[in-house]
Amino acid sequence: MRVRKRKGAEEHLANHPQYVILNPEDAKGKWYEVFGNNNPIHIEVGSGKGAFITGMALQNPHINYIGIDIQLSVLSYALDKVLESGATNVKLLRVDGSSLTNYFEDAEVDMMYLNFSDPWPKTKHEKRRLTYKTFLDTYKQILPEHGEIHFKTDNRGLFEYSLASFSQYGMTLKQVWLDLHASNYEGNVMTEYEAKFSSKGQVIYRVEAVFN
Ligand SMILES: C[S@@+](CC[C@H](N)C(=O)[O-])C[C@H]1O[C@@H](n2cnc3c(N)ncnc32)[C@H](O)[C@@H]1O
């Protein structure tokens, strides 16, 4: 998803260093200092406009959340949501999900979310999918032993691909939902894409995958 450039986005982010971590390499191994506590850290890679990370932060005040997105304008909209919400347990990072080991020590992240990741349907773009094996190498390093990825999407092709990618990587599929909204799953926090696609009648898939 490409979002149109937002005027003043860079300045907006720079003006809120309490939420937007501008030199994240300095935070590596010291995220507990950034948050000022030792609460668990959960990240979302490709957090978009921030509805999920903000909703989760409000729902779980004893967890620290970090929303990560590569697009500056998108992150600036996420910042608006964080500011509106008043949540204090959420930070935002503008970095590429492939480079997370530059910003997190081994096992520094307690768990992670991928929501409605770009599907990159062409085989020649497989390496860009956030569930491709090189991304899994990165996630495995920053998560603890038996760390978990919770992944939601409306895209059946990406879901099938990701289930296979997790399995081929030796991960355990702890639970799979083929229609999340019709299930008895409690406490679901919707993302922007989830709200949009489910309102059009699309089924939402979800999986919890665990590294071994
Ligand atoms: C389709 S949008 C979904 C946004 C949000 N998770 C939702 O469900 O509404 C995918 C997001 O992932 C971000 N993204 C794509 N590749 C990324 C990468 N390598 N690292 C970080 N973010 C990435 C995009 O900028 C975009 O905001």
Side-chain angles (χ1 to χ4, degrees):
M1 172 201 64
R2 282 268 141 214
V3 161
R4 198 178 315 149
K5 210 169 161 200
R6 184 185 190 191
K7 211 172 159 209
E10 192 156 9
E11 205 183 0
H12 186 38
L13 294 172
N15 284 341
H16 293 90
Q18 68 276 40
Y19 294 111
V20 184
I21 308 307
L22 299 168
N23 297 307
E25 44 293 301
D26 296 343
K28 182 173 176 173
K30 296 183 204 149
W31 281 98
Y32 63 94
E33 282 182 19
V34 173
F35 281 101
N37 61 50
N38 280 313
N39 291 341
I41 293 176
H42 293 189
I43 67 171
E44 181 188 12
V45 180
S47 48
K49 294 185 180 173
F52 178 80
I53 206 80
T54 306
M56 292 296 281
L58 291 174
Q59 196 178 82
N60 306 290
H62 300 298
I63 294 174
N64 294 326
Y65 289 92
I66 306 174
I68 297 170
D69 206 286
I70 201 167
Q71 288 188 75
L72 193 115
S73 293
V74 170
L75 205 70
S76 77
Y77 292 116
L79 174 60
D80 292 343
K81 285 235 169 70
V82 174
L83 292 170
E84 272 163 38
S85 75
T88 54
N89 54 330
V90 51
K91 307 281 180 205
L92 300 170
L93 271 191
R94 188 206 171 196
V95 301
D96 190 320
S98 65
S99 63
L100 296 179
T101 53
N102 294 337
Y103 317 111
F104 297 99
E105 250 334 322
D106 293 3
E108 194 170 13
V109 172
D110 292 278
M111 70 158 290
M112 65 170 285
Y113 297 94
L114 294 172
N115 292 316
F116 299 81
S117 308
D118 294 322
W120 294 110
K122 291 186 182 156
T123 308
K124 68 175 180 185
H125 292 143
E126 180 189 2
K127 290 181 182 167
R128 298 184 191 178
R129 297 177 194 154
L130 293 186
T131 50
Y132 183 64
K133 63 184 178 210
T134 54
F135 280 97
L136 300 183
D137 287 340
T138 301
Y139 307 151
K140 185 173 187 184
Q141 199 171 325
I142 63 170
L143 287 167
E145 211 186 340
H146 307 304
E148 299 194 9
I149 301 177
H150 294 188
F151 172 56
K152 288 194 280 194
T153 183
D154 65 304
N155 188 296
R156 185 176 166 141
L158 181 67
F159 193 64
E160 288 173 354
Y161 170 84
S162 302
L163 293 180
S165 184
F166 294 145
S167 300
Q168 282 159 19
Y169 202 85
M171 297 177 80
T172 300
L173 303 181
K174 196 167 91 172
Q175 206 167 341
V176 175
W177 290 259
L178 296 178
D179 187 349
L180 180 66
H181 293 184
S183 75
N184 56 5
Y185 181 81
E186 283 178 15
N188 184 45
V189 172
M190 286 223 249
T191 78
E192 280 87 0
Y193 270 62
E194 185 171 357
K196 184 170 139 188
F197 291 123
S198 62
S199 74
K200 290 181 180 167
Q202 299 262 112
V203 158
I204 306 301
Y205 305 101
R206 187 176 192 275
V207 58
E208 294 182 357
V210 186
F211 283 105
N212 286 306

